Amino acid sequence: MKLLFLALALCAIVFTEDITKISKSQVPNEESVAKEETEWRLKAIQKLWNERRNMGHTPMAKFSPPGFPNADIFFKNETATTTRTLKHRFAWALLLWAITEGKVTSKTSGVYDSTSGNTGSAEAYMCTLVGVPYYAVVADNLEEEKVKQIESFGGKIIKVPVSQRNLQAKKHAAEKNGFFMNQFGNAEKAEEFHESGDFYFESTNVYHEIIVQLKKEKEQAVKIPDYFVHSAGTGGTISSVGRYIARYGAPTKVILSDSQYSLFYDYVIGHKFTNQSGAGIWTPPGIAGIGYGYDIEPVLYGQTTSLTRNVIHEAMRMPDIASVAAMRILDEKGYNVGPSTSLNFLVSLYKAYQKKAKQSPIKHRLTIVTLACDPGDFYRSTYLKDEWVEKSFKKFGGVEGMECWKKLIQESIDTGSDFVSKGLTMCPGSYKV
């Protein structure tokens, strides 16, 4: 007992001797961050805020399908940003968070991240803006258009097998004394979801921006959307919208639009794939930049995803070939958008059909808002090229299958019919329903 008391006393002595003391002649006061570093961080953050102000509010375009006379689908056009993608605002938020937290400094040798292209180009732009080298770890079969886009904004490319992207990005960052941004795990930390009130800096949440824009539209009777539809890559954007809606009690319901072989639908609805990967399930090519399943790790919140299940009200999955068909239709109608936007559109269209079929008692116009994520220009050599579609979607009839879905989707737009049930039975391919 005496030995124990003596040991505790010695520990107390060591502790009191170690602490920096206030002396009679001096109050301890030292800089924890060098003056030069403080100045660099301030200038870097000011540059980022100037970029955000210059971005302003991306425009919104209304699409009113003739077959659904009481419904409007709004596209918030994120292709109007400097890097032409939704990821412009996302990369801005990620880098702002990383600098604020001291994870990226003036001495950082480089920022590394795993990307399917769009986040890479936006991160390259933001890193170049503040003077930090950027390295995009991409799949070895990434579209050349996206590779050129990343390089045009100052980024450098590291190609690896698609399932190795996260692991290799982390490995390169560790070896080069850089920072692994990990957009999939850190999106939930970076994406902001607060209402700004009267504060000088407006909320950067995309849903906040949407309701501000709808409120200002004099001819727009519905100011709060019934549905917000979006897919998930990192899960950051849809989760930040969901958290905003939940926090402020907005009546908008959040729908996750998911691709055919992604794990996210089952992750949200059935809480699956938290301890197993999608190995053997994922079927390429998928829908570029969204979904989960090609990675060799399970869906781990805060590590491999930032998708918050509890703020998603509904999830809907569409066949990949149908999304390609929708992309062709939108392209013909003058909407220069990519495959993830087309998936968002399909889910929005089918939700309009469901409400019409159920004769749901909505007294106002059904209002659905989704995001135009990136331009079709990035996919001229893939999704918009018949030869590529024929080869990549051979299992679902290639171009013939695409044309089958295209006809049914256009019919739905014109007459309000059910394109999904018809497509699953009439178009080529085997579907699990």
Side-chain angles (χ1 to χ4, degrees):
M1 191 68 176
K2 288 182 179 179
L3 287 174
L4 178 61
F5 178 78
L6 180 61
L8 291 172
L10 287 172
C11 286
I13 292 170
V14 170
F15 178 76
T16 54
E17 287 299 320
D18 280 352
I19 196 170
T20 300
K21 295 179 179 179
I22 300 174
S23 67
K24 292 180 180 180
S25 59
Q26 187 177 13
V27 173
N29 179 207
E30 296 178 75
E31 291 182 347
S32 62
V33 181
K35 182 181 178 181
E36 295 78 11
E37 187 60 37
T38 300
E39 290 177 353
W40 180 88
R41 181 167 66 177
L42 178 60
K43 288 178 181 177
I45 289 176
Q46 286 174 341
K47 288 177 182 177
L48 288 170
W49 274 109
N50 286 337
E51 173 63 31
R52 186 65 186 81
R53 278 190 285 268
N54 290 336
M55 176 182 164
H57 289 181
T58 53
M60 291 176 65
K62 182 166 68 173
F63 180 81
S64 302
F68 302 96
N70 196 39
D72 295 319
I73 298 172
F74 283 88
F75 291 98
K76 184 156 176 60
N77 187 11
E78 296 294 285
T79 73
T81 61
T82 304
T83 57
R84 304 184 69 194
T85 79
L86 165 67
K87 301 301 184 180
H88 192 80
R89 67 171 74 233
F90 174 52
W92 175 88
L94 275 172
L95 188 57
L96 182 63
W97 162 77
I99 293 174
T100 301
E101 296 283 326
K103 298 180 184 301
V104 171
T105 71
S106 62
K107 296 179 176 60
T108 301
S109 66
V111 170
Y112 295 78
D113 208 359
S114 160
T115 173
S116 58
N118 290 338
T119 301
S121 63
E123 286 179 334
Y125 177 89
M126 298 300 169
C127 286
T128 299
L129 184 68
V130 301
V132 177
Y134 176 74
Y135 299 86
V137 181
V138 304
D140 47 20
N141 62 347
L142 181 66
E143 292 94 343
E144 193 57 33
E145 296 95 327
K146 289 187 177 181
V147 170
K148 289 178 180 177
Q149 182 83 345
I150 294 169
E151 292 176 335
S152 72
F153 292 118
K156 293 180 174 58
I157 301 291
I158 301 172
K159 291 187 175 183
V160 300
V162 65
S163 65
Q164 294 290 318
R165 290 183 313 174
N166 280 359
L167 292 177
Q168 289 299 318
K170 188 188 301 185
K171 180 174 177 287
H172 279 282
E175 290 175 351
K176 303 295 182 181
N177 195 31
F179 176 62
F180 172 41
M181 186 69 85
N182 189 8
Q183 57 163 315
F184 300 97
N186 290 325
E188 57 99 12
K189 301 181 184 72
E191 288 275 30
E192 192 265 327
F193 61 96
H194 297 87
E195 205 276 346
S196 55
D198 295 326
F199 190 56
Y200 178 71
F201 291 102
E202 184 187 354
S203 169
T204 59
N205 188 280
V206 71
Y207 180 82
H208 176 89
E209 202 170 294
I210 288 166
I211 58 175
V212 166
Q213 288 172 287
L214 290 178
K215 184 179 180 181
K216 289 180 179 178
E217 284 289 333
K218 292 181 180 179
E219 296 180 1
Q220 176 62 28
V222 179
K223 304 298 184 182
I224 304 293
D226 296 294
Y227 294 95
F228 175 83
V229 175
H230 188 48
S231 55
T234 65
T237 298
I238 190 171
S239 296
S240 71
V241 169
R243 290 200 296 272
Y244 185 108
I245 286 169
R247 176 181 283 266
Y248 297 105
T252 306
K253 290 186 177 180
V254 180
I255 304 179
L256 169 71
S257 57
D258 206 21
S259 56
Q260 188 170 353
Y261 298 104
S262 168
L263 310 184
F264 277 146
Y265 178 94
D266 292 301
Y267 173 72
V268 170
I269 300 300
H271 296 192
K272 298 177 182 178
F273 296 106
T274 56
N275 58 10
Q276 66 183 104
S277 76
I281 296 174
W282 180 263
T283 299
I287 298 300
I290 71 158
Y292 195 96
Y294 45 75
D295 200 278
I296 59 176
E297 297 177 274
V299 190
L300 304 171
Y301 185 77
Q303 296 181 47
T304 62
T305 188
S306 289
L307 182 61
T308 309
R309 290 187 300 225
N310 294 336
V311 297
I312 309 298
H313 297 91
E314 188 177 339
M316 193 183 298
R317 173 178 283 155
M318 287 285 166
D320 290 347
I321 190 72
S323 295
V324 179
M327 185 177 172
R328 297 297 184 94
I329 290 174
L330 290 172
D331 188 59
E332 290 169 6
K333 293 183 182 299
Y335 292 87
N336 183 15
V337 295
S340 59
T341 305
S342 304
L343 169 59
N344 287 344
F345 171 70
L346 277 190
V347 170
S348 301
L349 186 67
Y350 194 66
K351 177 49 64 176
Y353 165 75
Q354 286 181 324
K355 301 299 283 187
K356 180 182 177 182
K358 291 179 181 177
Q359 296 182 331
S360 300
I362 296 180
K363 295 179 181 179
H364 58 266
R365 290 184 68 80
L366 176 66
T367 304
I368 302 171
V369 177
T370 189
L371 303 178
C373 308
D374 64 359
D377 292 344
F378 291 177
Y379 306 96
R380 297 292 170 191
S381 65
T382 51
Y383 296 88
L384 290 175
K385 189 175 182 180
D386 284 353
E387 293 84 354
W388 185 87
V389 171
E390 184 66 34
K391 179 181 177 182
S392 302
F393 291 96
K394 187 175 182 180
K395 181 181 177 182
F396 297 98
V399 172
E400 180 187 348
M402 178 188 70
E403 290 294 338
C404 178
W405 279 100
K406 186 178 172 183
K407 179 183 176 181
L408 296 172
I409 294 165
Q410 185 60 60
E411 184 181 287
S412 178
I413 293 170
D414 294 336
T415 68
S417 59
D418 176 6
F419 69 90
V420 173
S421 297
K422 290 181 179 179
L424 294 176
T425 54
M426 294 171 59
C427 297
S430 174
Y431 298 98
K432 294 180 179 179
V433 222

